[in-house]
Amino acid sequence: MNIKILFGKKVKEYRTKLLLTQEELAEKIGISAKSLSQIELGNNFVSAETLEAICKALNTNPKNLFNFAEREPAKNLEYIKNKLENNDYLLEKISQIINIIE
């Protein structure tokens, strides 16, 4: 997938977690709400200065905004499924944990 789209989704995710509107975040980072919208949609990318301002406003760092691994849950689930299929010990331990929780 396109890095601009993935990055834009991350910015939106962090912004909404902080209950900020596009207008509020745009004002904090010194760009227009339209420009922020284009970043979140993946149509535009950020300069180094804007990236720094976004990180500061969202109280995060670039590493978090570029961590796209959790964007692919199907791959993560497939990995887990493959690990469990051939590991009776892990399956038994997971069953025990489920029993404890229930």
Side-chain angles (χ1 to χ4, degrees), residues 30-97:
I31 64 174
S32 71
K34 183 175 181 176
S35 293
L36 179 58
S37 174
Q38 291 300 302
I39 292 168
E40 288 186 355
L41 291 171
N43 295 329
N44 291 339
F45 202 62
V46 294
S47 66
E49 292 80 12
T50 302
L51 174 60
E52 187 175 4
I54 288 172
C55 289
K56 183 177 178 182
L58 297 178
N59 195 29
T60 191
N61 59 57
K63 180 181 175 183
N64 291 332
L65 294 178
F66 287 98
N67 180 6
F68 307 132
E70 69 270 9
R71 286 267 174 228
E72 301 178 17
K75 285 186 180 179
N76 292 339
L77 291 174
E78 190 65 29
Y79 172 80
I80 292 169
K81 180 182 171 197
N82 288 337
K83 285 292 186 186
L84 292 176
E85 278 181 348
N86 300 315
N87 195 325
D88 291 334
Y89 175 78
L90 280 178
L91 287 173
E92 176 64 27
K93 292 297 176 187
I94 290 171
S95 294
Q96 290 172 356
I97 292 169

